[in-house]
Amino acid sequence: MAEVQTSTQSGELSQRFIEFVMMHAQNAALFLGQIPNPKTGEGEVNLELAKMFIDQLAMVQEKTRGNLTNEEATVLRNTLSNLQMVYVEVAQQTPKGAAQPEQPPAEPKPETSSFAGPARDKSATPEQPPIAPSTESESKKKFTKSYGS
């Protein structure tokens, strides 16, 4: 009986972990302009916030290495690599000094990478470049990650 209960608890924890990963992925996709903002219905790009969610998933991957089930590790690995690829694409398309409000493109660009989450707004185009703050707190960071450009 104890084995069944442990197995059920383990399955619940695994499901919660996957939901946690997907929640972070949805937030990153929102800030990459892949999911429309629920308030405005329009895509918006904030590379700094998207990078924060992607970096958090990368940290979770590093800190949980060897402690995940095959399913959990696969979901985390695939989600993280898909988000990193989208981040690079969006960052490369982002014009320097672009305005914060997003304008819809004349023609939607075909989607080249997949994201194992909810449907995304494929017509959204990025406009905000990554900002490199020069504040004192930024100089105290132990590390930073770059996914391109």
Side-chain angles (χ1 to χ4, degrees), residues 2-38:
E3 290 178 23
V4 172
Q5 186 175 8
T6 303
S7 172
T8 303
Q9 288 173 346
S10 176
E12 262 183 51
L13 288 177
S14 182
Q15 184 60 36
R16 284 186 193 163
F17 180 80
I18 290 171
E19 289 171 0
F20 170 81
V21 170
M22 298 304 355
M23 182 177 62
H24 268 65
Q26 286 176 328
N27 284 323
L30 173 72
F31 292 116
L32 288 170
Q34 305 297 304
I35 298 174
N37 182 324

Side-chain angles (χ1 to χ4, degrees), residues 24 27-32 45-59 80 83-84 86-88 90-91 129-133 138 141 143-148:
H24 268 65
N27 284 323
L30 173 72
F31 292 116
L32 288 170
V45 174
N46 185 329
L47 290 175
E48 191 174 323
L49 286 174
K51 184 178 182 304
M52 179 191 73
F53 284 107
I54 295 169
D55 287 347
Q56 287 177 354
L57 284 174
M59 182 261 318
L80 189 54
L83 287 170
Q84 289 169 335
V86 171
Y87 180 93
V88 170
V90 170
I131 299 171
E138 283 296 312
K141 280 189 174 179
F143 66 92
T144 58
K145 251 186 192 173
S146 175
Y147 302 113

Side-chain angles (χ1 to χ4, degrees), residues 44-47 90 93-105 124-130:
E44 61 183 55
V45 174
N46 185 329
L47 290 175
V90 170
Q93 295 171 1
T94 303
K96 298 289 180 193
Q100 179 72 350
E102 186 162 308
Q103 301 298 321
T125 56
E127 290 200 12
Q128 183 180 357

